[in-house]
Amino acid sequence: MESFTFPVKINELPSTLNPLLRTLQSSSILPALKPSSVPDGIAAFLFLLSALGYVTRGRLWDKPDLHYKVWFERPQLAGGASSIKGVTTRNVAQRLEEGDYQAVIFWGSQSGTAERFAETLGRECYTIFGINALVADISDYDAESIADLQQKHFAIFLLSTYGEGDPSDNAAGLWDWIKRNKDQATRVESLRYLAFGLGNSNYKYYNRVLDVVVDALDAAGATSLIPPQRADDAEGATEEDFQSWKDDLFALFRVLGYEQKAVAYQPTVSVEFGDSAQSEKDDSVHQISVHHQQTSLNSAIFPLPVRISRELFTAGDRNCIHMELDLGNNDVVYKTGDHIGIWPCNPDEEVERLLETLGLSDRRKDTLTIVALDDSAKPKVPSGSTLEAALRHHLEICASVSRKIAFDLAQFAPTPEARAMLTEIGQDRTRYEQFTSSTHITLARLLKLSSPLEPWTALPLSFVLENLLSLQPRYYSISSSSVISPRRIALTALVVNKEVADENKSTIHGLSSNYLLSASKLPSNAKAATPSFQHTSSVSGEVGTVFAHVRKSKFKLPITSSTPLVLIAAGTGFAPFRAFLAERAKLHALGKPVGRMLLFFGCRSPESDYIYRDELEKLQETLGDRLQIVTAFSRDGNNRKVYVQDRVAEESETVLEMLNAGANMYICGKAGMAREVDGKIEEAATQQKGMNGSEVKNWSDGLKKRGKWRADVWG
């Protein structure tokens, strides 16, 4: 009978394994590994080999890439936010003293617009008026320290509102302090401030964050130097509204005695070209480096393979995609009701157009060395990226160009005609609005229109990098249940294409939706040619990959499955309800008690865009009288257009009955629809409950505070 001996000596193994093996040797485990047969010996050997593999993972093999996180972090945060920004304290008053600043510009931004405005304003305060202003992410400082600001300083607040009157993620600390201060009554008599809000009037709580902050500061004794103003993105006027407010701000500066100077362009970042040889080796890293910070709300970004794609529309010239992404073995997890953030890239055509108009087509593969020239500058592109990667993966080159940028471009125009055209539309708001109403003006298209023959070789690349927005994720409600499909995320995306009323009948293609359509490899139903995108293949090379992260949401099912549900959706707003209903149907099939569900769903026509109709019919069979479906069709061939809010009004008695019985109500879709639904329900409550306006508002606000009335809306 052969005996089995351990194949290596302890002193020949890595030191990290010595404690484990000594424990095994001193115990009864290792001596017991003396099998009575060759198969037993092999089994024992394989057991020990597996144990060694498990213990050495991450030490001897499958070591983590220490630089992996750099792919997904903001360039300005590399090495820590404090070290980049020079922050030595979380007390903003102390920071102003340390840096000899005269003002602080706080920004609270969800999509990056308020942040960009703050950076621009900070530069202009210094170059035009000599005002040294600290541009500050609100989350970098303790909100309580705002009360320590001295009267010789002043504070500027640029605050965005999103969702149902919610502050941006980075403004949570300020929001909490404002709410706490109602009870603590901290006085801020020495605070002089100015405020500008970014919002969308389609939402019920338009610019609520600005209003709450301003009211709280005024109540605490602060002095507003000029009345607060509000941008309205519903009218596409955010840039113009900001420019108008800034004109008033600069007029105030002149009144306060600051001398206005006419200054030439001064870059805040240095941009130099390097060799293309190094980029050939490293470009795969730079093309997925994005501006994203992992937080408690947002996961890291991962490349997720596309496993299933199918078209949901059955007729017409539009596409609606159902796509499923494989989470694999990475660390991304989601819960039913969460959002997925898709990170698109820019289309090939727009990248090529911009390279050509800049006269830089032959330098597309050259690397860029980007260095901030002052503490407030935040490069939007990581140094070492190629020019092509910067334009494709880091900058919003498909976005419209503001009037101010058009005016500032004039100084670099290659021809007198181009300079005259840009100066004209840049100085006259009416002329600019007429021009842009019939033409989609991206930076490349504006440059080409103003100078069809001459490239813009005199335009500094630093100007391009400073004035274009950072590429941002687009969010979609997850349409799968984490209970049923924990390692696969489904999303539902309407492909957006908007025709422009110009002589060429051109089309504005939705960036993210067309990117997903391209990744799905489904044919386009659009009449116009669709843009082409560069996609990364999965390891197998058989399917495409999209980069995405998960964002936590409060749009959740109640813990108790017997709680009744009122679900109200139009179009792709049905996406999270697909997950809700599938999860409830699973619980019902397992014999769990399931509450009554009333679903309102609206779309154009039952023949063309009634998405997931087959699934809904099967759910109806499974759930029986537990599920009632009420539909609304706005273009079903008759003369009457019926919308979701109309059906809600017709069934308002049932809705109120369910709410009174403890139901949770969820609304998902466009903000305008949600506002109309709110109005119909509150109108019904006024009539049926005999309440006045303030009583109805208190009733609806109470339901919302308790999480019984939730909305997930957009645009």
Side-chain angles (χ1 to χ4, degrees), residues 20-34 47:
L20 171 66
L21 293 176
R22 288 196 181 97
T23 300
L24 290 173
Q25 196 174 47
S26 62
S27 69
S28 59
I29 298 175
L30 202 58
L33 294 176
K34 293 184 178 180
F47 167 77

Side-chain angles (χ1 to χ4, degrees), residues 578-635:
R578 175 181 183 263
F580 285 10
L581 294 173
E583 193 163 308
R584 280 286 177 95
K586 180 70 173 179
L587 294 173
H588 180 68
L590 294 173
K592 301 290 185 181
V594 170
R596 177 186 179 186
M597 289 164 285
L598 174 60
L599 168 67
F600 293 92
F601 173 70
C603 63
R604 293 184 178 183
S605 165
E607 283 77 32
S608 61
D609 52 3
Y610 189 164
I611 59 175
Y612 299 112
R613 184 171 185 173
D614 293 343
E615 291 185 19
L616 266 176
E617 290 174 352
K618 291 179 181 178
L619 286 168
Q620 181 77 79
E621 292 176 6
T622 301
L623 292 165
D625 60 2
R626 296 286 85 195
L627 174 62
Q628 178 185 352
I629 302 173
V630 179
T631 55
F633 304 112
S634 59
R635 302 181 189 179

Side-chain angles (χ1 to χ4, degrees), residues 370-382:
I370 304 170
V371 180
L373 298 179
D374 60 67
D375 288 344
S376 64
K378 299 177 182 178
K380 300 167 187 174
V381 177

Side-chain angles (χ1 to χ4, degrees), residues 275-349:
D275 197 346
S276 62
Q278 184 67 22
S279 71
E280 293 296 330
K281 181 171 62 176
D282 295 340
D283 198 45
S284 61
V285 172
H286 295 303
Q287 72 179 10
I288 60 172
S289 175
V290 292
H291 307 286
H292 175 74
Q293 187 177 10
Q294 184 176 355
T295 67
S296 59
L297 293 177
N298 296 296
S299 76
I301 299 172
F302 287 91
L304 303 179
V306 179
R307 294 303 182 195
I308 293 177
S309 297
R310 57 187 171 94
E311 176 61 52
L312 296 176
F313 284 174
T314 55
D317 58 359
R318 300 185 302 158
N319 290 86
C320 189
I321 307 166
H322 171 87
M323 179 178 286
E324 296 184 14
L325 305 175
D326 191 349
L327 296 181
N329 296 321
N330 57 50
D331 294 333
V332 176
V333 295
Y334 79 99
K335 297 295 183 184
T336 304
D338 282 344
H339 301 136
I340 183 168
I342 299 295
W343 292 82
C345 65
N346 290 307
D348 299 332
E349 295 85 350

